[in-house]
Amino acid sequence: MSGSVRVRRQPSPPGKLPPSGPRFPHPRHDHLDADQRREAASKGIRPGRKTHATGGLNLARAEWRLLVVILIVACAVRLFRISQPNSVVFDEVHFGKFASRYIKSSYFVDVHPPLAKLLITLAGWISGYDGNFDFKDIAKVYENVPYVSMRLVPAMMGVATVPLAYLTLRALDCRVTTALLASLFITFENGMITQSRHILLDSPLIFFTALTTFSWTAFCNEDHYEPFTESWWIWLTMTGLSLGAVVSCKWVGLFTIATVGLGTLKQLWMLLGDLRIPPRLWIKHFIARAICLILIPLIFYMSMFGIHFLILTNSGDGDGFMSSEFLHTLRGRGMADTFADVAVGSEVTIRHLNTQGGYLHSHPHSYPGGSKQQQVTLYPHRDSNNDWRIVNATSEGDPYTAWMDQDVSYITHGTRVKLRHIQTDKSLHSHDIRPPVSDVDFQNEVSGYGIPGYAGDANDDWIVEIHKGDKRDRESSKRLRTLRTHFRLRHVMTGCYLFSHKVKLPDWAYEQQEVTCNKQAVLANSLWYVETSYHPKFPADAPKVNYKRPGFFAKFWELQKVMWTTNAGLTDRHTYDSRPDAWPRLRRGINFWVKDHRQIYLLGNPMIWWLSTAAVLSYAAVRGFLILRAKRGYRDFESTVVVKYDTLCGFLFVGWALHYLPFYLMRRQLFLHHYLPALYFAILLACSVFDLVTSTLRPRIRLQIAAMLLVIAVWNYSYFSPIVYGLPWTKSKCQRARWLKTWDFSCNDFLDDYTQYRSTIVPTSQRSSPAIMNDPNQNAGGIGAVPIGEPVKLQQPAEPDTSTVAFGQAEPGRDIFADHPHKDLNSQENEATRAAEDVQDISSMTPGTTSQASTPSVQTSSNDDEFLETSVTSTSTPSTSLEERPEEREHAEGPKPEEEAEADRAREELFPQGQSI
């Protein structure tokens, strides 16, 4: 045979060798050939890992046991002595009071959505709370209030945040050591502990923020592995529900929505650029995300307000902020049908269209300055002092009686009318005198002028100018119709328009809203409408009208506008507010509670706080450096390690930025606790940086470094724990703990030695006390101690319309909706007496002051100066007269020449009840 031909071996005889197995004994079941990969790509399936756990959570059994241990530690830290203090702490003044109103079904308005408040209320209701505690003052001892059950709601949510931090970092493919470090940092963060131990809203907010972040991370893992599976839909729906929950606690949740929304846009943009994804599949991705991340959160958010409206069915303190149509849906605020027409001689109530629809109102009290005639104001509640009679000013004889002998004639556009206050027989009057508050040339005072039987003068005359009517009622644009016609009243002699705006009069007018005659009136603030009309000559079957009851969507939208306007208007300062630039540096905290030589002060764990800030700055610097290197041609972003940690840290950095930077755009009142959601992302980012830095180290060394960081964090937690739990502390330790001069916790409130806490029994007072100023020589860096209660000045009685908080005193945030609850008229006389007694008590404490007749007003424990323009805090006029302080009268009027004083005396003899101007 030729040498170039290879001879085949003879086959082996059968049965001599074992049967041959497959050529590749361990086949890859997930292997796809080219055609199969192409088909998978057309369905949106991307190449994944060999094994996949739901949400990308590949946790060993030991990790679940570790999570149980972490939960036990978190419970011990957050539930330690949660029953102490047994009195009201910081904003429990507001949120505890809201729970009372829910249980009483009394309508109120708050700037925050209702979910967290509903959860706290549910805990109180299950525990038997009857809603009778008023939560009036910080440090007021709880009586018949299951406050521990109510505090457990935010506390348990704070506990649940800890494992969420662990699971989130594990889902982001961080090491177990890194996730453990993050969860323990969250556990021992003093600020989050303090905030979660009381009836406050920030702990639920942080919990739902963490839940949203975890759900979104798990969804992204599912989307990377295989979309449109059952797990994919579950995690996407979970993300949507969490988004709805976080924004239903506080509007800060909108920043969480922005974080997820930005990630969603990036995903859709990448899918759009993937040529393997057909347009129809991309549209499917878009619709799925729109339904789960937009529609579901919106439905959840609106559902919370649906529950809110179902519970709050009775009239309450929030009535003054809502429209008349809205109030018509509340029990106790319904209105009987009223005559549709307004004729000469009709008895009417007139409402302002723009500023929460207050009533044109007058009462038998005079302005302390100006004309000294009877006050005319805007009052938000129904009252007999809102009733006026409208007559024709051109009638012969006495226009106030001539209508009785005439046929019914309607009020049309251009009719010259007079308005007579029925209770006091005074005419609505204006003249060329400046108003008491808006003292400008284009504003004139509006007053009540006249005496019974006196027809008045030309300054009582007004021209009706119909602005517009209801499209469903053609007659309403031709003549005055109840509820349907919007009109203006132009003063005949001066040409100014009857006007009101969100400016409150001082206490001598019971803080009711100012009414003026404005020559440059803005249209919206000079429009009025008739709410009720009665005429004795109308037949019983005459056409009648009433408010149209708004549906859920109308009520929901109106409440959103009220919340937005009010939130944006919280611009005045608070004793413990701070600006965003101070938060990452932990420049100052918030004094929550001071009593019995103990204090609760919101301050973060300095080590955790500053480490997280350093991590944020480090990532920003390194990311910027890598961008510059890429510009110079370096290929850092081709490294899988760089890409992994850039994606991981970038997501957390964006979450931090979107939860922090928007506060720089806000001019409203801000506090340190507004930074806590951003702090959560900063802590996760710090641990991610730790994971990167220690990625090349051996596991034992990595664990040792983590243990060292944790020991420092726990030491910081323990060092500042007395102001977290309200424990005994000494002045010397407090002074040493003031690492920054701006940490203004009050060291002088503590005793000198721990033995004094055992030997001294400090009584618990529920009554307000005057501020006690410390000797400045004793205040070596501390801040003066004051008992908690309604603050008072030592030099003079506190003004009823302001709240003076001594430096170092705990002060709750502003509840601008509940400054002065609506009171029944029958109770005003007794309340006036009690208020006068209170002022007399204060005056007796202060040398050199005398008691003045005081207008009854309810003083909030927060800064009552804030947001006067939106706050509706009027109280009903008491029947007692108001004495003037001589210095106020002199300031209002100024010295008078002798001739003018003589003329005044002559006018008073001629017109004892009023003055003709």
Side-chain angles (χ1 to χ4, degrees), residues 355-370:
T355 54
Q356 283 85 38
Y359 293 90
L360 186 64
H361 176 92
S362 187
H363 43 238
H365 298 283
S366 302
Y367 292 114

Side-chain angles (χ1 to χ4, degrees), residues 793-839:
K793 294 181 181 178
L794 284 176
Q795 292 76 14
Q796 60 185 3
E799 294 294 332
D801 61 334
T802 59
S803 174
T804 306
V805 179
F807 201 44
Q809 178 173 344
E811 178 187 2
R814 177 78 165 123
D815 177 18
I816 53 107
F817 295 104
D819 289 348
H820 300 280
H822 176 43
K823 299 180 178 61
D824 295 332
L825 289 172
N826 297 335
S827 64
Q828 294 304 312
E829 210 164 320
N830 296 332
E831 292 183 5
T833 305
R834 287 196 299 270
E837 290 174 355
D838 289 342
V839 174

